[in-house]
């Protein structure tokens, strides 16, 4: 018996797939991978966006940005309140309040740190600061509105204005250079406005200035004395003084030989020293040459002594910038216009000091900046407490119209 085995014939090898049949399949697979990749990217992006919202913006804001925003909001609210309290300017006190409202409005515009805030938000109506509980009710714009606010209505406003001044002066201690200058100038003006309003209405002015205005920490142990006994801060050849630059009447301070001193801070401090001793010298010349010295001699003598004292205080800060504490030689050049009319030139000479100390605030730091903030506040009070007008930012020439976003 024979048997037979049936062997299946092997399948025929189909061979390579024709190219026209391959590319649609590959194209479809690539499209699917692209869709999945895009979907994954969208998920990752959405997670990132969620994680970046919320408090992240607040956390990224610097101290200077926060201080500017708070100062701007305060100025805007105080401006609105002053306008309401002015009761349409029907008496001298109300005229003063209207001027303060305009000055505070200018401050708010200058305190806008960038042009990113929409114009509509910057110029919209601001609810008055409700410091008395009756802001905007039964006053300006209402039938029978009083011609001027009562002292009891002004007292909360003065307190709020003084508190804003103090906050700005203290914030200037920590802020960056340009912001510090602006905050200090803003606080100095607000301090003057608070004092003027308190004087008009016989109110008690809250304390806004101190021996070390701007120092948010060391108020309890503050003194009027500059730190004369402090060690020189990391200065080469500290204490020897042989390699330090000359100051005041000599070579301009802040040069390369000043070692680790910041040139700008040294130059600003030197400018303050020269301004103080130069003013003292000008009063001395006026006392000797101007006939008005007969009647104004005592006042000029007081001013001369004050400038000499402040110059001496400024000299004591030179070691903070690795410079020797050497007072300048008492010799300054006065122009011919001053010599023709010293009595008429002295008030203009005093007007330089807000800018001198505003520059020093911006360019210094630490104790020196705190002293400069106090000096800016003090000279602003001296110049503008009885003046016809008070600049919105003493020592700064900027006006809101000059800003690109106003």
């Amino acid at each position: 018996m024979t048997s037979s085995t049936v062997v299946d014939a092997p399948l025929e090898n189909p061979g390579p797939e024709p190219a026209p049949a391959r590319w649609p399949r590959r194209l479809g697979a690539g499209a699917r991978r692209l869709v999945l990749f895009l979907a994954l990217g969208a998920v990752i992006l959405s997670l990132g966006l969620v994680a970046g919202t919320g408090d992240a913006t607040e956390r990224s804001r610097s101290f200077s940005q926060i201080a500017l925003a708070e100062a701007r909001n305060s100025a805007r609210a105080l401006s609105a309140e002053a306008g309401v309290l002015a009761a349409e300017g029907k008496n001298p006190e109300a005229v003063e309040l209207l001027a303060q409202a305009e000055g505070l409005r200018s401050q708010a515009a200058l305190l806008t740190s960038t042009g990113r805030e929409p114009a509509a938000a910057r110029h919209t109506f601001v609810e008055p600061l409700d410091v008395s509980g009756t802001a905007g009710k039964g006053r300006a714009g209402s039938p029978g509105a009083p011609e001027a606010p009562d002292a009891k209505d002004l007292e909360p406003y003065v307190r709020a204005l003084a508190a804003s001044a103090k906050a700005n002066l203290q914030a200037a201690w920590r802020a960056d250079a340009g912001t510090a200058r602006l905050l200090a100038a803003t606080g100095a003006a607000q301090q003057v406005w608070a004092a003027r309003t308190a004087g008009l209405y016989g109110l008690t002015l809250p304390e806004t200035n101190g021996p070390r205005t701007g120092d948010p920490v060391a108020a309890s142990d503050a003194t009027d004395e500059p730190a004369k006994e402090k060690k020189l801060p990391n200065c080469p050849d500290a204490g020897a003084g042989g390699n330090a630059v000359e100051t005041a009447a000599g070579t301009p301070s802040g040069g390369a030989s000043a070692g680790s001193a910041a040139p700008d801070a040294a130059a600003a401090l030197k400018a303050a020293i020269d301004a103080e001793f130069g003013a003292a010298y000008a009063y001395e010349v006026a006392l000797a040459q101007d006939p008005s010295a007969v009647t104004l001699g005592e006042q000029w003598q007081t001013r001369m002594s004050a400038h000499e004292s402040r110059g001496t205080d400024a000299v004591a800060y030179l070691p903070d910038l690795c410079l020797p504490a050497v007072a300048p030689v008492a010799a300054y050049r006065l122009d011919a216009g001053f010599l023709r009319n010293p009595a008429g030139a002295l008030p203009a000479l005093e007007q330089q000091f807000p800018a001198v100390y505003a520059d020093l605030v911006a360019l210094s730091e630490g104790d020196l900046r705190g002293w400069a903030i106090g000096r800016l506040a003090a000279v602003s009070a001296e110049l503008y407490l009885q003046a016809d007008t008070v600049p919105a930012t003493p020592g700064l020439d900027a006006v809101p119209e000059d800003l690109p976003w106003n």
Side-chain angles (χ1 to χ4, degrees):
M1 178 178 178
T2 62
S3 64
S4 64
T5 303
V6 177
V7 179
D8 294 331
L11 294 175
E12 294 183 0
N13 185 358
E17 186 177 13
R22 283 200 311 268
W23 73 265
R25 185 178 305 166
R26 292 180 179 177
L27 182 61
R32 287 193 296 273
R33 286 195 296 270
L34 178 61
V35 170
L36 290 174
F37 177 81
L38 292 176
L40 180 61
V43 172
I44 294 174
L45 181 60
S46 64
L47 291 176
L49 289 175
V50 172
T53 57
D55 295 335
T57 302
E58 291 297 323
R59 287 195 300 268
S60 66
R61 297 173 72 196
S62 68
F63 174 84
S64 294
Q65 291 172 324
I66 294 171
L68 276 177
E70 292 177 350
R72 180 177 67 251
N73 293 338
S74 177
R76 294 176 69 187
L78 285 166
S79 174
E81 179 68 11
V84 171
L85 287 169
E88 298 181 349
K90 296 179 181 178
N91 64 12
E93 290 84 356
V95 171
E96 168 67 22
L97 288 168
L98 285 174
Q100 291 186 19
E102 182 59 32
L104 287 160
R105 191 177 300 114
S106 295
Q107 286 186 346
L110 291 170
L111 288 162
T112 303
S113 59
T114 69
R116 297 174 183 173
E117 186 180 3
R122 293 196 302 274
H123 300 294
T124 51
F125 171 76
V126 179
E127 180 68 21
L129 184 67
D130 194 357
V131 293
S132 63
T134 58
K137 299 177 182 178
R139 290 191 285 183
S142 301
E147 293 189 353
D150 296 330
K152 62 180 177 62
D153 294 324
L154 262 296
E155 188 173 5
Y157 167 74
V158 170
R159 285 202 305 265
L161 190 56
S164 179
K166 184 175 182 179
N168 289 328
L169 292 171
Q170 289 187 344
W173 180 279
R174 290 181 53 193
D176 59 42
T179 302
R181 186 201 313 252
L182 180 55
L183 289 173
T186 298
Q190 291 177 352
Q191 178 178 270
V192 174
W193 285 325
R196 287 166 66 104
T197 308
L200 283 172
Y201 288 86
L203 302 173
T204 301
L205 180 66
E207 183 66 31
T208 59
N209 196 5
R212 291 175 63 187
T213 298
D215 187 348
V217 178
S220 59
D221 60 350
T223 66
D224 288 316
E225 296 281 337
K228 299 180 181 180
E229 303 299 328
K230 291 193 301 185
K231 293 172 59 179
L232 298 183
N234 300 322
C235 298
D237 300 324
N243 296 327
V245 296
E246 299 179 20
T247 62
T251 305
S253 59
S257 57
S260 61
D264 288 341
L269 180 56
K270 174 187 175 295
I273 293 171
D274 286 344
E276 293 289 4
F277 282 110
Y281 177 71
Y283 277 101
E284 184 178 1
V285 171
L287 283 167
Q289 298 185 11
D290 197 291
S292 301
V294 175
T295 56
L296 298 175
E298 184 176 352
Q299 176 185 339
W300 288 355
Q301 184 69 46
T302 300
R303 295 300 303 159
M304 183 180 71
S305 299
H307 284 297
E308 288 178 345
S309 176
R310 294 164 185 172
T312 301
D313 289 345
V315 167
Y317 284 98
L318 287 169
D320 287 357
L321 302 176
C322 300
L323 303 172
V326 179
V329 177
Y332 291 87
R333 181 180 303 169
L334 298 171
D335 59 39
F338 181 93
L339 296 174
R340 283 194 298 267
N341 182 16
L346 286 173
L349 188 67
E350 295 285 0
Q351 293 290 332
Q352 69 176 316
F353 285 99
V356 167
Y357 285 111
D359 287 344
L360 185 56
V361 168
L363 297 172
S364 61
E365 58 185 16
D367 289 342
L368 177 56
R369 176 181 280 189
W371 179 77
I373 293 169
R375 292 299 312 130
L376 175 58
V379 298
S380 298
E382 292 172 359
L383 288 171
Y384 306 121
L385 191 57
Q386 303 297 330
D388 292 336
T389 59
V390 180
T393 51
L396 301 183
D397 293 331
V399 293
E401 289 74 17
D402 292 341
L403 300 178
W405 51 84
N406 287 326

